[in-house]
Amino acid sequence: MHDPRITKLANLLLDHSCEIKKGEKILIEAFDLPEPNLVCALVEGASERGAIPLVTTKQNAVLRSLYQTATDESMKANAEFEGARMNACQAYVGIRGAANSSQFADVPHERMDLFQKHWWKPVHGSIRVPDTKWVVLRYPTDSFAQAANMSSAAFEDFYFDVCTADYAAMGRAQEPLVKRMEAADKVRIVSPGTELTFSIKDIPVIPCNGDRNIPDGEVFTAPVRDSINGVIKFNTQSRYQGTVFSDIEFEFKDGQIVRAESSDTERLNAILDSDEGARYCGEWSMGTNNRVRHPMLDTLFDEKIGGSFHLTPGQAYEEANNGNNSQIHWDLVLIQRVDYGGGEIYFDDELLRKDGHFVPKDLQGLNEGL
């Protein structure tokens, strides 16, 4: 018998996120899970609904060896194999654990580039994201709890509480923000070390409330590609391609990152030089999940933090496409609550959010729990 929290989460993934239907194939991909309970619950739940579950389990230590030895030929061969499988499925659930969150830290950047270019982008960027009903989530592990500075038991309680939120209510609360973002042209952001302007005019706005990420809670769009000017200093750490970066600072001119500094400036610039689109941004999003309060070196949680926003060098999503193409997509988070230094966001010179709290009356529902 499954832990009822596991069953509740599995039902949410199948019914709300994937809206699984009879006869559909659903690929369940599990990475470094400490135990198989969620995978088993998904297999059983999908079968009960008349769907066809397909399962693959992966270990990050094995993936590290694949990345360490990557060649153009090997990455293309893996992509051909995995792409054929992804093309055969109508839904996808990706569950990521991590026995060691820094497993890929010593993989040379140029080898990770081969994975991103020849495997990730063709399979996930070009097939899974546009062509399947997909959802990705992390799994509570001891290393994850440690990154959150919590005991394993306390983190597990936090995890299931956040992941099984009332996403229908979240969606209703996001509706006024969607309307304001759709009507806005100029965005101005002010925070310690940050003075940034850009346009979001005529770019689609997408509310996220449990359909693609768990946990969820953001409303995203994209900046007009060449419109970003100014400087931004992010106040959260970010793990990308196995390396932890802190004190990331960008200077933009006409949309392009012309200066980039961080705790590892050399590797940061190597990532931004991956291709022409890596120095332009493909997403801008406002975090609306007030149950997530502090960063834990995990993008799926950190980008949803109440009172935050994230800006993304790299690939734009098809749903909110500003024309930027890249093999990278790197969500970088800035928290604007008072306990993180404060800050303001303006839409067309109207103060929209101050110190993480939305100001207009129609957006007060998004402040609940802050």
Side-chain angles (χ1 to χ4, degrees):
M1 183 175 180
H2 297 303
D3 181 331
R5 299 176 302 178
I6 292 280
T7 302
K8 182 178 180 181
L9 179 56
N11 289 339
L12 186 147
L13 295 170
L14 292 168
D15 295 329
H16 179 81
S17 301
C18 292
E19 297 181 327
I20 199 70
K21 301 291 191 298
K22 183 178 180 179
E24 291 183 330
K25 296 183 182 72
I26 179 169
L27 174 59
I28 303 160
E29 194 167 44
F31 299 77
D32 266 5
L33 295 195
E35 41 80 9
N37 293 349
L38 180 56
V39 175
C40 293
L42 286 167
V43 168
E44 294 161 13
S47 298
E48 288 169 1
R49 290 160 175 79
I52 303 168
L54 306 172
V55 177
T56 182
T57 60
K58 294 180 176 179
Q59 294 177 307
N60 286 339
V62 176
L63 289 172
R64 174 183 173 277
S65 293
L66 281 172
Y67 302 158
Q68 284 273 26
T69 60
T71 63
D72 288 291
E73 184 179 17
S74 71
M75 293 296 97
K76 288 177 180 177
N78 276 280
E80 182 179 2
F81 171 75
E82 300 228 337
R85 181 177 57 179
M86 194 73 76
N87 265 320
C89 295
Q90 290 73 53
Y92 171 92
V93 179
I95 314 162
R96 293 183 178 271
N100 177 2
S101 297
S102 299
Q103 189 68 264
F104 307 137
D106 59 352
V107 178
H109 170 70
E110 58 271 17
R111 300 292 175 89
M112 290 302 299
D113 266 358
L114 293 177
F115 160 71
Q116 293 284 138
K117 179 180 180 180
H118 296 308
W119 183 345
W120 193 93
K121 197 168 189 289
V123 176
H124 295 272
S126 298
I127 302 175
R128 180 200 16 119
V129 172
D131 296 336
T132 73
K133 299 180 290 184
W134 60 271
V135 61
V136 295
L137 68 157
R138 299 296 187 255
Y139 197 78
T141 62
D142 289 342
S143 65
F144 200 176
Q146 187 174 32
N149 293 313
M150 299 173 71
S151 70
S152 296
F155 182 76
E156 192 173 281
D157 289 340
F158 162 78
Y159 171 89
F160 285 108
D161 176 60
V162 170
C163 288
T164 57
D166 185 343
Y167 289 112
M170 180 184 290
R172 292 190 294 270
Q174 291 172 338
E175 289 173 3
L177 178 59
V178 172
K179 292 178 182 178
R180 282 182 172 269
M181 290 175 70
E182 289 174 336
D185 177 0
K186 181 182 175 183
V187 177
R188 176 173 173 245
I189 301 174
V190 180
S191 281
T194 297
E195 178 72 44
L196 203 68
T197 61
F198 53 89
S199 173
I200 56 173
K201 186 176 182 180
D202 297 330
I203 305 290
V205 177
I206 310 298
C208 299
N209 38 69
D211 54 346
R212 294 294 174 259
N213 287 178
I214 296 294
D216 216 343
E218 63 172 295
V219 179
F220 78 87
T221 184
V224 173
R225 187 175 185 268
D226 61 357
S227 70
I228 308 180
N229 284 284
V231 296
I232 183 168
K233 187 171 185 177
F234 297 96
N235 59 5
T236 67
Q237 293 182 312
S238 179
R239 179 183 283 111
Y240 194 74
Q241 295 182 353
T243 298
V244 175
F245 296 85
S246 59
D247 302 315
I248 297 174
E249 184 174 344
F250 293 153
E251 180 179 351
F252 288 89
K253 183 175 181 181
D254 298 332
Q256 186 179 39
I257 299 170
V258 296
R259 178 177 61 84
E261 299 177 359
S262 75
S263 56
D264 190 340
T265 295
E266 182 178 356
R267 183 144 187 166
L268 172 65
N269 280 279
I271 292 169
L272 296 176
D273 289 335
S274 296
D275 52 41
E276 192 266 343
R279 286 188 178 266
Y280 290 83
C281 289
E283 181 190 358
W284 178 69
S285 184
M286 302 187 74
T288 63
N289 190 329
N290 297 333
R291 297 184 182 192
V292 187
R293 303 284 296 173
H294 304 289
M296 57 188 76
L297 275 177
D298 188 277
T299 299
L300 280 182
F301 281 73
D302 295 354
E303 68 180 359
K304 315 302 189 321
I305 290 171
S308 77
F309 70 84
H310 58 272
L311 186 64
T312 307
Q315 179 69 34
Y317 286 114
E318 280 197 5
E319 309 99 296
N321 199 344
N322 69 349
N324 198 47
N325 294 302
S326 175
Q327 66 193 40
I328 78 163
H329 180 95
W330 188 1
D331 297 315
L332 295 169
V333 178
L334 197 160
I335 306 171
Q336 292 188 300
R337 299 196 314 267
V338 170
D339 50 330
Y340 283 87
E344 297 89 42
I345 295 178
Y346 297 84
F347 281 4
D348 298 318
D349 298 322
E350 178 187 1
L351 180 61
L352 184 90
R353 201 177 72 181
K354 181 176 176 61
D355 296 338
H357 288 77
F358 289 95
V359 175
K361 289 184 178 179
D362 59 316
L363 301 181
Q364 292 304 300
L366 292 171
N367 292 330
E368 185 176 346
L370 267 180

